Structures are given as C-alpha cells and as structure tokens.
Amino acid sequence: QHKQLSGVTSGCQQGGCLTCSDYNGCLSCKPRFFMHLERIGMKQIGVCMTSCPPGFFGTRLPERNTCTKCRSECDSCFNKNFCTRCRAGFYLHLGKCLENCPDGLIRSDTQRECV
Amino acid sequence: YEWSQDRPGPGAPPCPSPCQCEEDGMFIMVDCSEMGLSSVPASLSPLTTYLDLSMNNISEIQPRAFHRLHLLSELRISGNQLRYISGHALQGLHNLKVLMLQNNQLERLPGDAPWDLPNLLSLRLDANLLSEVPAEAFRGVRSLRHLWLDDNSLTEIPVAALDSLPSLQAMTLALNQITHIPDYAFNNLSALVVLHLHNNHIQTMGSKCFEGLHSLETLDLNYNDLREFPVAIRTLNKLQELGFHNNNIKAIPEKAFVGNPQLQTIHFYENPIQFVGKSAFQFLPKLHTLSLNGATQIREFPDLKGTTSLEILTLTRAGLSALPLDLCEQLPRLRVLELSHNQIEDLPSFFHCSALQEIGLQHNQIKRIESSTFQQSTSLRALDLSWNMIGWIHPDAFASLHSLIKLDLTENRLSSVPVGGLGGLTHLKLRGNTELYEAFSPDHFPHMRVIEMPYAYQCCVYGSCDSYKPAGQWDTEQSTNEELHKRTVAVYPVHADTHYDPDLEEFQLEIEEAKLQTSVQCTPTPGPFRPCDSLL
Amino acid sequence: LESERPALRAVIKVTLIKEPTGKPIVLEGLFVGGSAGKAEGKLMQYHPLSLCNNSEDDPPESDFITIVKLERTVTSCLPLLDKARMALAKGAQAVIFDISDDDHAAAELPDTDSLPRPVVLVEAEDAEELMGLVNKNEEARVVIEVKMESKWPFD
C-alpha cells in the first residue's frame, strides 16, 4: 500500500507539496504554488513550485495554479500568445518571436530581440 | 545548469556556502534555493549574474544587501516570508532585468523612496498581500515590460502607479478584489499588448476606461460581475482575443464590436444573454468562431456581413424562425452550423457552403427538404434533422452527399426516405417515424454500423433474426453498444466452468477480425414480442 | 437474463529494453469493457493530472503504452473513461491503469465498446512490478494480449 503523505516525504522532497506519493510525486500543491508535471525519461511526476520552469508559464485560478507550455519558439512567456524571451534564431518584438524583424528594426543576436 | 559546491577554479569568483554555483565565463550563477536560509548570504561576488534565493525563510533584506551586484541580471526571492522591501534594500542593482518576489507576504511597496531598477524588464509581485500600490511605487522601474500583480488583495486599479510604466507590454491584475475600472485607468500604457483582469469582482466600467491602450491584443475579463456589455472596448482597434465569459451580461448591443476589426476569438459563454443586436457581429473578418446559446430574445438571424472567415457558428435555443437565403454567400468558409432548438421552418440552399461538414438542425419545425437544400454539400459528414416535422424529402435531396456518414431523422413524419447518395452512411437513425414501414436493404448501406428503425421487423434484413435465440437470451433491452461485443463473445463463448482453451494465436486473430467486421447494430432488436414478421 | 458480460483478462509481457532477449516478465490484468485486443509499445508513465482537459504535453515519438497510477486523493478532473480516451487520443497504443490505491476506479468504468484500443486494469503484485520498473526508470517494451479465462476473481 503506497503511502499518500502530506508535506515532504521520500520521493517528493520539495516544500510546495500538499499531498504526494512515491510514484506520482506531488498530487496537490499548497495554496499559491504552481503544479508542474515533469517528465524524466519514462516517469512523469508532479512538482510544486513558486515559478514554472523555463519554457512554461503559470496560470493562477481560484481552484488551482498550473504550468502550461509556451509556444515552441519561446524560451519563456507571459501567456500562450506573449513571449518574453525567444529561442535562438528568433527575435522578440511586442511579445512575438519572429524570424525577421519589422521594417526599421534590426536583429540583435545577443538579446534575441528586434532593436 | 550543472550546479555544484566544488571549490571554484583559480581566479573564479567564490561560491557562498551553502549555495551551489555555476561558472558563466568570468561570471558566476548562484543557486541558494531551498536551503533554509534566513538572510541573504553576505559574501556574494560582484561577478554574480544570477542569484536564486527562493523557497527559504528570509523575512527581511538588510539594507545594501545587494549593493555590489551591479552585474546581477536575475534575482529570485520568491517563496520567502518578506513583508516589506525598502528602496535601500535593492540599491546597486543597476543591471537587474528580472526580479521575482512572488509567494511572499508583501503588504505594501515603498512609496517615498521607491526601488531604483532602471533596467528592470520583468517584475513578479503575484501571490502577495498587497491591498494598494503607492502612486510613486514604479517611478524607478520605467523600463518595465512585464508586471504580475495577480493573486493579491487590490480593490482598485493602481492608476497613478501605472502612469510611470510607458514601456509596459503585459500585465495581470487577475485574482484581486477590483470592483470598478475608472475612465483613463490605463491611459499611459500605449505599449500594453496583454491585460488580464479575470477573477475579480468588476461590476462597472467607465465608457473610456480603456482609452490609451493602442496596442492591446488580448483582454481577459472572464469570471467577473459585469452586468453591461463592456462598450469601452470600442477604442481597442488592435484587439484580437476578448474574453468575458462567466459574467452577468444580458445583452450584446448593436454594432458591439464595430471598433474591433482584428478580433479572432470572443469567449462569452456562461452569461444570461437574452438579446443580441442584429448588427453586433458585423465586419469581423478574422472571427472564426461564434457561439450563442439560450439567447431567447433573438428573433432574427444575425447580420454577419463582413464576417467572412467564420468557420463555426452555434446559435441554439433562440427564437429563429428563418435563415437568410444568402447565408452561404455571407459565410463561405462555414464548417460547422449548429442551430438546434429554434423554430426554423424553411431551409435555404447550402449550395455555396462547400466546406460545410456538420449541420445540427434538431428540434426545429422543418417540414420539407428540397432538392436544392443540400445540393453540392459534398463535404457534409454529419446531418442532424431529428425532432422536426419533416414529411417529405425530395428524391434527389441527398444525391450529392458523398461524404455523409451520420444522418439523424429521428422523430419526424416520414413515410419514405430517398437513399440515393447515402451509400457512405455508418449511422442512420429513423426511430419515431411511425408512418415509415419500408425495410431498407443492406445493399444500400455497405458501410452501415448503427441503424435505428421505427419497427423491429425492419432490422430483420440485417440478420438480427438469424441470431434470434429462445426466450431468456434476448428479452433484455440490450444497449446498442453491447451488440458488437456480444457477437465477439458469441463466436468464442466463455464458459466459466469449462477450460476451453483454443489456440491462442487463432483466438487473437478472431478477436481482431470480430472487431473489424462491420456487423450492423440494428435496433429495436426483434424478439418474442417483436417478431420478424410484421404484425400488420 | 443474459449474465453480465464476462471480463476478458490481459496477459502483459514486459521486456527490458536493455535486455531485449531476456526472459519477459509475464503479468496479468483485466480488459475494460470491449477493449480487449493486442497492443505493443514502450512503457510510459503519465501523472493522473496529465489526463485533464487543460493539460498538454509533447507525446513521445514512437509507439508507447501509457501507465497511470490512480490515487484516491487526486480530485478527478474527468471520468476515468474520458481519461482513457484522452490517453489514447494522445497516441497511446494502450492504457494501463494501476488501481491498487483507487478501489473505486474499476466500478467507475462502464461496460463499453467505444474504446478504440485496449485499456487494462492492474493491481497488487502485477501493478507493483510495473510501477517498480517505472520508479527505477527501467525502460521497457510491453506486449498486451488477450488471455482466455474465467471472470476476474476479485469481483
């Protein structure tokens, strides 16, 4: 019988967990923490965090806070349609990751932005 | 990153204990997260570019704690117990771009001597206890682009504070207790692209409350208490995505979106909408979905002139009695048309709706189907005409429906059904047509899988009678889903008491073949009280 | 009356990817409704919350078989049948539910024919073996076949 424990236990050590189990990791998070489903090889475990990992954005709702994947061309984003940092080869302009910058702006490879 | 506690190489910046560090060229990235710290480590190198102090027990930041970190780009202090951070505490962070303070207990922000972070781009203040934001709070972060203030206790839009943020592009004020949006609330935010206000208690809005938002593309007003349609959106000519579902709005006025030609999606379900202006959804050339359910006061089909990209139109449970004859000319890209639960009597020709795949017209008052109605509807896959008053269908009505697989004519007044064009059907429902006595030959429907007929004897042509067994085997009303599996099990009866163990490989194949066989599930299934021979 | 449809049992053969010629571990389970059938693929664990409406992740490239350990304390976002359908829609060749810690799960699954590919319930030692492999991240290939036998002894 697998233990369903609250707080920090073996197999789910982070502080944001409310309930967890050895196989699934975090099953629920403490209030105001984001639940992120992390894949490690063939495993997928729940992780509770105060900010979602790179490539994901957090959505806060009354009943739960979840991490959702950004668009593929974004390294980080504010929501599904608004990037805050682009992947290599893309340049940020008003929340969009573009391969080419609008007229009047040039590509900055260090900042990955249209400047 | 490969964080480690090993002694750094010669000349490398020192790694403060008990943190873990990662060299980044001549710079250093320091991770002190989840280490039970109660204060900021003292010996931080000036060459630190990334510092993570999240998930510790830090309740206070000593003045000048970071004053040497001129090169620090990202500072994470989320998940601590901070109640207040003075302007002096963050002195010296000239190059800071990202500051994460979410999941603390911040009750107020410095007003008189605000933070001086000239290059800050992202500021996270979400999940704190802020009930207000001083007017001067953001005077020192003028380059800010992304601001999170969601999940706090704000009762008002921090209008004065926002005036200091001309570069702001994305902001969330969701999950607060805001009740009203005053005029000119965001007047200086000309670069704002995304504004989230969902899960507040917004009841009223000034008619000029969105003035100044020249770049806004996404506006989220979901889960509020709005009673009136937000006419203030009229000034948002770049708006692409609008949400005001789960509110209390009863009407959508005429020309509601006249100022928003770029709109692609509008979500407004879960509102008690009764009235919709006939011109409300005109001239929205990028709109692809429109869903209206239960607006009982709609009597006329909306005028969708200029809304030419619509693909999905749902207008159910209203009072429509007719459809415009030029419906398909207005909506040439229509793919799904769902008009159930209205009072529609006559149908136009869907001739120009060449992309139409699904039509839902159930629960209307349609009486006849003409030859032109579905002419050239070659993409149509599902047609639901159930619960109407259809007494006559033109012999050629379905002739060109080559893609049709599902046809539902349940509960109509049919005495005959033209089968021309219906060869591709897998589902046909005719239950409730009490004047329809004809038994359709399976040859008409080579792909049929589920067919519902008015009378059981009409299922006999599908071999239902051959598998008819003595009483006790068939007298329960089997749900149609069971039928396929029963035939499978019947092929290899499973008897609890005998060890019947056929060759496993052959048995596997039988299972697979039984599933592939398109044995027709015909109901009502003939039985002792529903014999194959018609009682008439 | 026609008795309740007899439940078909599943034979689950597990081969470690690092020992392709090794002797397979043979386990058993119970097919859900009419989903009995053959399936093969790489074993991949999914968190129960990953089978909810708002969840999205990149499905593995090759053919895979999903295993989900159900937990009583996880508030169910969808009925189990919809979770099974969602897992299959994400590309799984079959779905295995470990119901060791959620004894209501079996009752929740109606006797249905609408599952396009196999869905299997496992518990006790069979589940423990499978989840043990997952926990050690031991990559494995699974073959599911129909076994002919009497009804599931646990009813």
Side-chain angles (χ1 to χ4, degrees):
Chain A
Q1 177 73 11
H2 291 290
K3 300 180 289 300
Q4 275 136 39
L5 305 156
S6 58
V8 178
T9 65
S10 66
C12 30
Q13 276 87 2
Q14 338 97 38
C17 250
L18 187 59
T19 58
C20 65
S21 83
D22 280 347
Y23 288 119
N24 284 310
C26 291
L27 302 173
S28 62
C29 297
K30 289 176 182 171
R32 296 182 142 185
F33 279 79
F34 292 98
M35 168 65 83
H36 174 55
L37 302 180
E38 190 167 354
R39 179 158 290 286
I40 307 159
M42 66 194 286
K43 282 170 67 89
Q44 186 177 52
I45 60 168
V47 184
C48 296
M49 24 180 56
T50 54
S51 48
C52 295
F56 290 81
F57 68 94
T59 304
R60 290 190 189 277
L61 287 171
E63 57 279 3
R64 72 184 171 281
N65 305 310
T66 52
C67 295
T68 307
K69 216 168 170 37
C70 299
R71 299 168 85 100
S72 57
E73 64 272 18
C74 308
D75 263 358
S76 60
C77 65
F78 186 89
N79 70 17
K80 194 71 175 180
N81 296 317
F82 191 91
C83 302
T84 51
R85 180 173 165 75
C86 297
R87 207 158 43 91
F90 291 87
Y91 304 89
L92 185 64
H93 177 63
L94 285 178
K96 303 283 190 297
C97 284
L98 311 171
E99 290 186 77
N100 298 299
C101 292
D103 294 343
L105 298 173
I106 58 167
R107 302 190 298 195
S108 156
D109 281 299
T110 49
Q111 293 168 275
R112 294 182 189 171
E113 291 196 7
C114 296
V115 296
Chain B
Y1 309 115
E2 286 301 325
W3 303 98
S4 70
Q5 238 300 309
D6 307 342
R7 294 301 331 134
C15 183
S17 172
C19 307
Q20 300 197 326
C21 297
E22 160 79 10
E23 285 174 25
D24 176 17
M26 57 181 279
F27 305 112
I28 187 170
M29 301 162 67
V30 181
D31 181 2
C32 311
S33 61
E34 297 199 78
M35 296 199 171
L37 301 181
S38 53
S39 64
V40 178
S43 54
L44 289 165
S45 158
L47 295 175
T48 305
T49 54
Y50 172 95
L51 174 57
D52 187 349
L53 296 166
S54 58
M55 296 293 291
N56 280 296
N57 307 320
I58 301 171
S59 55
E60 184 191 14
I61 295 179
Q62 51 279 35
R64 296 166 56 82
F66 307 112
H67 76 281
R68 296 195 308 150
L69 306 187
H70 304 318
L71 301 178
L72 192 64
S73 175
E74 181 162 343
L75 174 56
R76 299 184 171 208
I77 324 178
S78 56
N80 279 280
Q81 280 96 50
L82 293 166
R83 295 186 176 284
Y84 178 71
I85 303 174
S86 72
H88 305 305
L90 301 181
Q91 233 172 6
L93 296 169
H94 308 315
N95 196 46
L96 194 65
K97 293 191 171 54
V98 176
L99 175 56
M100 292 194 180
L101 296 170
Q102 71 270 26
N103 289 72
N104 275 287
Q105 276 124 56
L106 294 175
E107 292 165 348
R108 56 194 177 87
L109 299 177
D112 43 2
W115 302 331
D116 180 18
L117 305 167
N119 285 297
L120 195 65
L121 298 179
S122 292
L123 174 56
R124 292 200 57 172
L125 292 167
D126 44 314
N128 276 289
L129 307 172
L130 299 171
S131 52
E132 61 175 11
V133 178
E136 305 301 315
F138 298 140
R139 187 154 40 85
V141 292
R142 294 189 66 82
S143 303
L144 200 64
R145 290 185 185 172
H146 323 123
L147 175 58
W148 287 261
L149 275 164
D150 49 328
D151 202 356
N152 273 284
S153 309
L154 300 177
T155 53
E156 291 175 354
I157 304 276
V159 178
L162 293 177
D163 254 355
S164 310
L165 301 175
S167 305
L168 200 62
Q169 295 179 13
M171 171 168 67
T172 176
L173 293 161
L175 279 87
N176 277 287
Q177 284 105 54
I178 297 165
T179 55
H180 172 68
I181 305 180
D183 281 338
Y184 307 104
F186 312 102
N187 199 39
N188 200 22
L189 304 185
S190 57
L192 199 67
V193 175
V194 176
L195 175 56
H196 290 302
L197 287 160
H198 62 84
N199 293 96
N200 273 283
H201 307 306
I202 301 169
Q203 293 177 2
T204 53
M205 313 164 81
S207 60
K208 296 185 173 56
C209 68
F210 295 131
E211 290 284 337
L213 294 174
H214 308 307
S215 306
L216 200 69
E217 295 178 6
T218 299
L219 175 60
D220 180 344
L221 291 164
N222 303 322
Y223 296 104
N224 275 290
D225 299 327
L226 287 171
R227 290 161 193 165
E228 303 294 334
F229 179 82
V231 293
I233 65 167
R234 188 150 295 179
T235 60
L236 306 174
N237 55 24
K238 293 262 182 63
L239 198 60
Q240 296 178 17
E241 192 179 346
L242 171 64
F244 54 94
H245 66 71
N246 290 84
N247 271 278
N248 227 331
I249 295 165
K250 298 178 177 56
I252 297 185
E254 296 290 353
K255 299 202 183 306
F257 306 102
V258 67
N260 320 108
Q262 305 291 326
L263 269 175
Q264 294 174 19
T265 62
I266 312 173
H267 300 298
F268 52 92
Y269 50 86
E270 297 299 335
N271 273 288
I273 290 172
Q274 298 300 307
F275 169 79
V276 174
K278 189 168 185 221
S279 62
F281 294 98
Q282 279 182 338
F283 304 114
L284 297 172
K286 294 190 176 179
L287 189 67
H288 38 74
T289 301
L290 172 53
S291 295
L292 266 163
N293 302 296
T296 52
Q297 289 174 26
I298 295 180
R299 290 284 173 266
E300 278 186 281
F301 196 83
D303 179 349
L304 297 171
K305 200 180 359 225
T307 301
T308 51
S309 299
L310 208 62
E311 293 182 19
I312 300 171
L313 172 58
T314 301
L315 213 169
T316 64
R317 299 178 192 283
L320 297 180
S321 54
L323 301 178
L325 293 177
D326 62 349
L327 172 66
C328 285
E329 280 82 349
Q330 271 193 2
L331 308 173
R333 294 202 189 140
L334 206 56
R335 224 170 11 86
V336 175
L337 178 62
E338 173 56 54
L339 299 172
S340 59
H341 294 278
N342 279 289
Q343 289 107 43
I344 299 167
E345 295 182 13
D346 301 311
L347 296 177
S349 167
F350 295 103
F351 183 82
H352 292 295
C353 285
S354 55
L356 208 48
Q357 293 176 9
E358 290 174 38
I359 296 181
L361 284 162
Q362 61 275 29
H363 291 282
N364 274 285
Q365 290 160 24
I366 301 163
K367 298 181 177 62
R368 306 162 48 91
I369 305 291
E370 304 296 348
S371 63
S372 60
T373 307
F374 302 113
Q375 201 178 15
Q376 292 313 317
S377 298
T378 52
S379 305
L380 198 59
R381 295 167 54 82
L383 175 57
D384 190 341
L385 291 164
S386 60
W387 298 91
N388 275 281
M389 294 185 260
I390 304 171
W392 180 78
I393 300 176
H394 188 283
D396 301 332
F398 302 140
S400 49
L401 303 187
H402 310 310
S403 307
L404 196 67
I405 52 174
K406 292 187 176 177
L407 174 59
D408 192 341
L409 288 162
T410 302
E411 293 293 345
N412 274 286
R413 299 176 182 168
L414 292 165
S415 53
S416 69
V417 175
V419 294
L422 298 180
L425 285 186
T426 60
H427 293 69
L428 173 60
K429 298 183 177 179
L430 295 166
R431 182 173 49 81
N433 291 277
T434 52
E435 304 294 316
L436 182 62
Y437 300 110
E438 179 187 354
F440 297 95
S441 157
D443 304 339
H444 292 310
F445 311 116
H447 305 290
M448 188 59 70
R449 287 184 44 218
V450 175
I451 188 166
E452 288 177 12
M453 299 303 288
Y455 303 103
Y457 75 84
Q458 291 165 310
C459 282
C460 292
V461 289
Y462 288 95
S464 302
C465 302
D466 303 343
S467 52
Y468 166 62
K469 293 226 170 43
Q473 286 277 351
W474 292 95
D475 48 12
T476 50
E477 182 64 46
Q478 300 302 327
S479 71
T480 51
N481 285 346
E482 293 257 356
E483 200 62 34
L484 177 63
H485 191 82
K486 282 190 72 57
R487 289 175 188 287
T488 310
V489 175
V491 169
Y492 283 84
V494 175
H495 304 288
D497 49 355
T498 58
H499 285 285
Y500 180 74
D501 189 9
D503 169 46
L504 190 60
E505 206 53 48
E506 188 187 329
F507 179 66
Q508 304 285 51
L509 287 174
E510 287 298 332
I511 286 273
E512 293 311 313
E513 276 166 19
K515 287 192 117 177
L516 294 175
Q517 245 178 7
T518 49
S519 60
V520 179
Q521 295 175 49
C522 188
T523 55
T525 317
F529 303 107
R530 292 190 296 266
C532 273
D533 309 324
S534 162
L535 293 180
L536 303 182
Chain C
L1 277 176
E2 175 70 30
S3 66
E4 187 186 302
R5 172 193 2 227
L8 287 178
R9 290 174 59 81
V11 173
I12 305 168
K13 294 176 188 166
V14 186
T15 312
L16 297 187
I17 287 182
K18 67 181 181 189
E19 297 164 18
T21 57
K23 189 170 184 293
I25 307 162
V26 181
L27 308 169
E28 289 195 10
L30 175 68
F31 282 108
V32 166
S35 76
K38 192 170 184 175
E40 182 169 355
K42 189 176 163 188
L43 192 61
M44 291 296 275
Q45 181 214 356
Y46 274 73
H47 190 284
L49 290 178
S50 72
L51 297 176
C52 294
N53 277 331
N54 53 7
S55 57
E56 41 167 279
D57 45 24
D58 302 332
E61 326 76 37
S62 64
D63 50 3
F64 62 97
I65 286 182
T66 295
I67 184 165
V68 181
K69 175 171 188 49
L70 300 176
E71 311 261 5
R72 209 174 311 115
T73 53
V74 175
T75 47
S76 193
C77 54
L78 282 176
L80 199 55
L81 187 62
D82 292 339
K83 278 182 180 276
R85 285 201 188 104
M86 180 174 282
L88 295 172
K90 282 175 186 255
Q93 297 302 304
V95 185
I96 300 172
F97 285 119
D98 170 2
I99 60 170
S100 307
D101 287 332
D102 187 351
D103 31 41
H104 305 304
E108 205 194 302
L109 282 166
D111 196 352
T112 172
D113 282 329
S114 65
L115 292 166
R117 291 191 293 281
V119 177
V120 178
L121 305 184
V122 293
E123 62 178 335
E125 296 80 15
D126 298 296
E128 193 100 14
E129 184 80 41
L130 281 171
M131 291 309 294
L133 293 176
V134 168
N135 219 24
K136 291 176 286 184
N137 236 316
E138 286 272 19
E139 300 213 322
R141 277 199 80 77
V142 166
V143 175
I144 294 175
E145 289 171 343
V146 179
K147 177 180 180 186
M148 253 284 301
E149 199 182 351
S150 60
K151 217 152 85 162
W152 182 251
F154 290 91
D155 266 0

